Amino acid sequence: MIKSVKSRGFIINLILIIFLLLPLLVGAVSDDDLDLLQDEIKLKQNQITELKKQKEQYEQSLTQTRQQISTLNGQISNLDNVMAKLSLEVQTLNLEKEEVDLQVMNLNYQIEANTEDVVDYQDQISGILRLLNRTNYHSNFISIISQNDSIGTFFESLNQLNRITSNLKAKLNELLDKQNELSRQQNLLLQKKDQLEELNIKLAQNIEKMDNEKVYKSNLLYVTRGEESEFQTLINQLKAEQDAIDNEIYSLEIEARKKLYEANGEDFLSSESGFIWPVPSRKVTATFHDPDYPYRHIFEHPAIDIGSTPQRTPVRAVKSGYVAKVRDTGNSGGYNYIMLVHNEGLSTVYGHLNSMIVAEDTFVVQGEIIGYSGGMPGTAGAGNLTTGPHLHLEFRKNGIPVNPLSYLP
């Protein structure tokens, strides 16, 4: 009878201890710090939504001003709208990054709290098992069950203990599931943060583009002196120059391939299966057929412009090829370029070069330096109304411009 009482007392005390500790084990994150984080996240989301609305308004304005860029006033108005839109994109990105940082903090906080909960549950279950072992239920089972007046009490206490143990195990599994889910969400947020970093690179490109647009606007007003007639004269000159370059490149490619075919030189062109970037930068400041290209009303932008390319950056052949043309205008302010012919009907053109170090009618290998970049207004090879140092890169398929990003890695 004494053993029965002791056993019953142990179970009762154990139950009391567990129920006293259960509130401490439930680790729901609901403190003031977490509430503040949630409020900050909502604030950022509202600010992002508002900025996106403003951006949509500028997009609508750009749709109109792009149709008016054939006039000087239309060009200036379009440039102002482009720069305003880019400024909003920068603000939006910064807010999105701040929002993700807050969400990551929020999840880290919850994961830390739930990890502590899991450890607490494990400790409690281990403690229960140790206490059960100390009571030697199995060794005392015969003596306890022989006392008829204590058999019911024994099984009642044992059932209560089993229910509590099962409940703790169930809650432990729930918390483990919750922790796994939170970890999954954190991984998703980290992926989103990586995506935002990519957007940050893109917006850095747009910032450089915005700076270039400012230079272009300043040069445009200087060259035209704010006169519409001067602007139209300039546009006609640019159109004639671009048409002449296009015709020259197209004719040169045909002549070069014919020459290579006759000399069996095309065998040299099939040395690689892919292309490389010609300069270290991957920052594209103007895309192929860029909708914001200022001269789009007279010709499409037939290339990509690679920014973050300081004056006289080494320019390398994207693939082994034949040097079909080296156009060197000296210090006349004209437009310098190199044209390489490759296999499978492809050719590449490298524009705004400050200097060239290869000769026509020669072969170059992939990665070989063929010249040095330019584009700084007023420098050799930059051409008319360049916006700043960069590399103009064209890819052509059978003489027709195609998107370089479809070929570059």
Side-chain angles (χ1 to χ4, degrees), residues 246-290:
D246 280 342
N247 291 332
E248 181 181 42
I249 290 174
Y250 186 80
S251 299
L252 284 170
E253 180 167 356
I254 294 176
E255 293 176 9
R257 292 197 183 280
K258 181 179 179 181
K259 186 175 182 179
L260 288 170
Y261 178 77
E262 293 173 348
N264 294 321
E266 284 198 335
D267 294 339
F268 179 81
L269 302 181
S270 57
S271 56
E272 307 94 13
S273 60
F275 295 85
I276 64 171
W277 282 76
V279 290
S281 174
R282 303 291 186 269
K283 187 182 291 183
V284 178
T285 54
T287 60
F288 181 75
H289 289 185
D290 196 318

Side-chain angles (χ1 to χ4, degrees), residues 309-351:
T309 304
Q311 193 82 355
R312 295 194 60 77
T313 296
V315 177
R316 302 177 185 274
V318 299
K319 193 175 186 181
S320 297
Y322 172 74
V323 183
K325 179 66 178 179
V326 177
R327 187 173 193 257
D328 188 354
T329 62
N331 293 319
S332 66
Y335 177 70
N336 290 353
Y337 73 85
I338 291 175
M339 176 185 176
L340 302 182
V341 172
H342 311 286
N343 61 337
E344 298 179 348
L346 289 168
S347 61
T348 51
V349 179
Y350 311 76

Side-chain angles (χ1 to χ4, degrees), residues 359-405:
E360 293 180 3
D361 198 24
T362 60
F363 289 96
V364 294
V365 297
Q366 186 178 65
E368 180 178 346
I369 296 176
I370 59 176
Y372 295 88
S373 68
M376 179 74 71
T379 60
N384 293 322
L385 288 180
T386 182
T387 57
H390 68 278
L391 177 67
H392 173 98
L393 178 65
E394 296 182 25
F395 272 61
R396 293 178 176 245
K397 178 74 171 179
N398 299 322
I400 307 300
V402 292
N403 190 352
L405 296 180

Side-chain angles (χ1 to χ4, degrees), residues 207-245:
I207 290 174
E208 184 170 344
K209 179 180 178 180
M210 182 169 59
D211 292 339
N212 290 339
E213 298 290 358
K214 291 178 181 177
V215 172
Y216 167 68
K217 177 182 176 180
S218 177
N219 288 346
L220 182 62
L221 291 173
Y222 175 78
V223 171
T224 63
R225 294 174 294 184
E227 298 291 336
E228 180 66 30
S229 58
E230 294 289 339
F231 175 73
Q232 293 301 327
T233 299
L234 176 65
I235 290 299
N236 290 333
Q237 291 175 351
L238 290 173
K239 186 177 186 303
E241 179 180 331
Q242 183 64 33
D243 288 344
I245 291 174

Side-chain angles (χ1 to χ4, degrees), residues 16 30 32 36 50 55 58 60-61 66 68 84 98 101 106 121 124 136 165 183 194 218 228 263 265 314 319 372 385:
L16 288 174
S30 59
D32 293 339
L36 287 174
E50 182 60 32
K55 181 186 171 184
Y58 277 105
Q60 294 175 358
S61 298
R66 283 171 184 154
Q68 302 169 0
E98 291 174 7
D101 286 337
N106 183 17
Y121 271 102
Q124 290 300 319
N136 294 318
T165 304
S183 296
D194 290 339
S218 177
E228 180 66 30
K319 193 175 186 181
Y372 295 88
L385 288 180

Side-chain angles (χ1 to χ4, degrees), residues 2 8 22 57 62 90 94 114 151 155 161 167 173 225 250-251 264 311 373 390 395 404:
I2 294 175
R8 192 188 327 172
L22 276 175
Q57 294 176 355
L62 281 170
V90 171
N94 287 331
N114 283 302
I151 293 177
F155 279 107
L161 184 59
N167 183 56
N173 290 332
R225 294 174 294 184
Y250 186 80
S251 299
N264 294 321
Q311 193 82 355
S373 68
H390 68 278
F395 272 61

